[in-house]
């Protein structure tokens, strides 16, 4: 339905040429179209709204436009991402940081992601750490940093960041599911407050992950969430657990290891934040 959406939004833009939301949505549908030329048209629209100009090869925000906010910046970064305009993303973010404007986590996060996409991993790491300094208590910041650490092979560090994300939002089932998936994929688990270990026997990992899955569906027992968990379990050949989740039946907990979940539920985030160094995992 993209062509229809484009037609509707083009008509809307002629009726309401000064509408910020119309401009954002028109840019969005353009950048979802298959032709790069059309995608670039969408980029140009959102750049014009935010007064972004190409000055000697660098893309800069010329002034603190009234249209600069998290919604419009999000639309801009989505457009850039769809065309892999990573250098341009970094340039705009650096320009934004020089303006007398609130430093949104969104800006730092996209700058870090662009560095990572360009394989400038040290710059990406420094920027993600800046992100955590800017807003340590945003669970999404830790989740994004965890994904970066995954990508560079720091699976123990990624475990800790996913864990912190869950601690910061105990009502988000996805945070617990993502940590459980991490356990199953990379074998790291927490066995006490100071250490992670790497479980050598793959068939033991499910015993650490299941309490997290169970807790997730206790938070959100919707069919959608149960189906997601069951599909993960089926891919790991855990048919009995998957059936119990889908059928709302008690799970056999005789072999389950609850400490990873218990740690999250009892942790003090301020104490964790005060510890500057990461937990050193046991290999």
């Amino acid at each position: 339905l993209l062509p229809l959406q484009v037609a509707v939004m083009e008509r809307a833009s002629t009726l309401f040429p000064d509408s910020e939301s119309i401009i954002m949505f028109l840019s969005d549908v353009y950048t979802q179209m298959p032709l790069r030329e059309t995608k670039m048209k969408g980029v140009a629209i959102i750049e014009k709204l935010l007064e972004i100009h190409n000055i000697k090869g660098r893309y800069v925000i010329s002034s603190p436009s009234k249209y600069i906010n998290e919604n419009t910046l999000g639309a801009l970064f989505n457009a850039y991402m769809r065309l892999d305009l990573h250098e341009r993303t970094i340039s705009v973010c650096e320009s934004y940081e020089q303006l007398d404007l609130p430093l949104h986590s969104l800006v730092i996060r996209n700058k870090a992601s662009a560095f990572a996409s360009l394989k400038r991993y040290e710059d990406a790491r420094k920027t993600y750490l800046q992100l955590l300094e800017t807003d340590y208590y945003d669970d999404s910041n830790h989740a994004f940093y965890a994904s970066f650490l995954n990508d560079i092979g720091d699976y123990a560090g990624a475990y800790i960041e996913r864990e912190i994300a869950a601690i910061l939002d105990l009502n988000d089932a996805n945070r617990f599911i993502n940590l459980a998936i991490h356990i199953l994929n990379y074998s790291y688990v927490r066995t006490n407050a100071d250490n992670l270990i790497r479980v050598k026997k793959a068939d033991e990992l499910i015993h650490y992950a299941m309490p997290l899955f169970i807790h997730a569906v206790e938070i959100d027992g919707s069919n959608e969430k149960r189906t997601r968990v069951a599909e993960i379990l089926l891919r790991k050949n855990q048919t009995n657990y998957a059936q119990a989740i889908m059928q709302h039946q008690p799970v056999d907990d005789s072999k389950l290891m609850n400490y990873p979940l218990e740690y999250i539920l009892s942790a003090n985030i301020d104490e964790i934040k005060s510890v500057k160094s990461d937990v050193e995992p046991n290999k």
Side-chain angles (χ1 to χ4, degrees):
L1 296 177
L2 272 175
L4 178 58
Q5 291 183 51
V6 169
V8 171
M9 296 313 301
E10 285 178 337
R11 176 59 177 157
S13 68
T14 62
L15 294 173
F16 310 99
D18 298 321
S19 168
E20 174 185 310
S21 60
I22 295 296
I23 293 170
M24 281 197 313
F25 286 125
L26 180 60
S27 169
D28 183 66
V29 294
Y30 274 156
T31 57
Q32 293 183 65
M33 294 293 282
L35 292 178
R36 184 175 178 83
E37 180 182 355
T38 309
K39 291 179 185 290
M40 289 303 298
K41 191 175 179 180
V43 169
I45 288 172
I46 193 67
E47 285 183 338
K48 182 179 179 181
L49 178 69
L50 296 176
E51 298 182 29
I52 294 171
H53 302 286
N54 183 349
I55 301 176
K56 297 180 179 179
R58 291 185 58 78
Y59 288 81
V60 300
I61 302 173
S62 57
S63 65
S65 164
K66 66 178 181 179
Y67 292 111
I68 294 178
N69 55 59
E70 287 196 83
N71 289 331
T72 54
L73 287 170
L76 174 74
F77 294 135
N78 284 340
Y80 283 172
M81 179 181 62
R82 287 169 182 158
L83 284 106
D84 295 328
L85 299 176
H86 307 306
E87 294 281 6
R88 195 179 300 197
T89 298
I90 294 168
S91 182
V92 168
C93 290
E94 290 176 344
S95 171
Y96 179 94
E97 290 169 342
Q98 294 173 8
L99 299 174
D100 186 21
L101 291 169
L103 187 54
H104 291 303
S105 294
L106 176 70
V107 173
I108 306 173
R109 195 160 61 223
N110 278 275
K111 181 181 175 184
S113 177
F115 277 134
S117 296
L118 293 170
K119 302 189 186 306
R120 294 171 59 179
Y121 296 131
E122 190 55 36
D123 287 328
R125 184 188 291 273
K126 289 178 181 177
T127 308
Y128 275 116
L129 292 177
Q130 178 193 359
L131 175 66
L132 297 185
E133 289 177 8
T134 302
D135 190 354
Y136 188 87
Y137 296 96
D138 184 336
D139 58 301
S140 294
N141 291 343
H142 292 275
F144 278 105
Y145 186 35
S147 295
F148 165 71
L149 293 176
N150 258 18
D151 291 341
I152 64 172
D154 183 0
Y155 304 127
Y159 180 103
I160 293 169
E161 294 303 320
R162 293 195 188 284
E163 189 176 57
I164 293 172
I167 293 167
L168 286 168
D169 192 350
L170 295 173
N171 294 316
D172 188 342
N174 288 325
R175 296 298 182 222
F176 293 89
I177 292 173
N178 290 340
L179 182 59
I181 293 171
H182 189 89
I183 289 172
L184 294 177
N185 287 344
Y186 302 108
S187 305
Y188 281 99
V189 297
R190 183 179 291 282
T191 55
N192 60 57
D194 298 317
N195 292 298
L196 304 180
I197 65 168
R198 193 165 190 180
V199 176
K200 296 181 179 179
K201 294 183 179 180
D203 58 351
E204 293 181 2
L205 291 171
I206 192 63
H207 302 150
Y208 293 92
M210 272 310 299
L212 295 164
F213 284 136
I214 294 168
H215 188 73
V217 297
E218 287 174 352
I219 295 171
D220 181 353
S222 65
N223 186 62
E224 177 186 1
K225 202 66 65 181
R226 289 179 180 275
T227 299
R228 183 188 175 200
V229 170
E231 288 174 347
I232 296 165
L233 292 169
L234 288 172
R235 286 197 293 271
K236 297 296 181 178
N237 298 316
Q238 299 294 331
T239 305
N240 291 338
Y241 284 138
Q243 289 178 344
I245 291 294
M246 284 305 300
Q247 296 172 9
H248 299 241
Q249 295 177 347
V251 171
D252 179 6
D253 60 1
S254 60
K255 295 182 179 179
L256 300 190
M257 308 295 288
N258 290 299
Y259 189 78
L261 174 62
E262 292 172 352
Y263 176 82
I264 292 170
L265 299 180
S266 63
N268 184 312
I269 191 61
D270 292 313
E271 290 181 1
I272 293 172
K273 184 176 183 295
S274 68
V275 178
K276 300 299 182 183
S277 60
D278 285 340
V279 174
E280 181 65 27
N282 293 330
K283 302 298 184 182

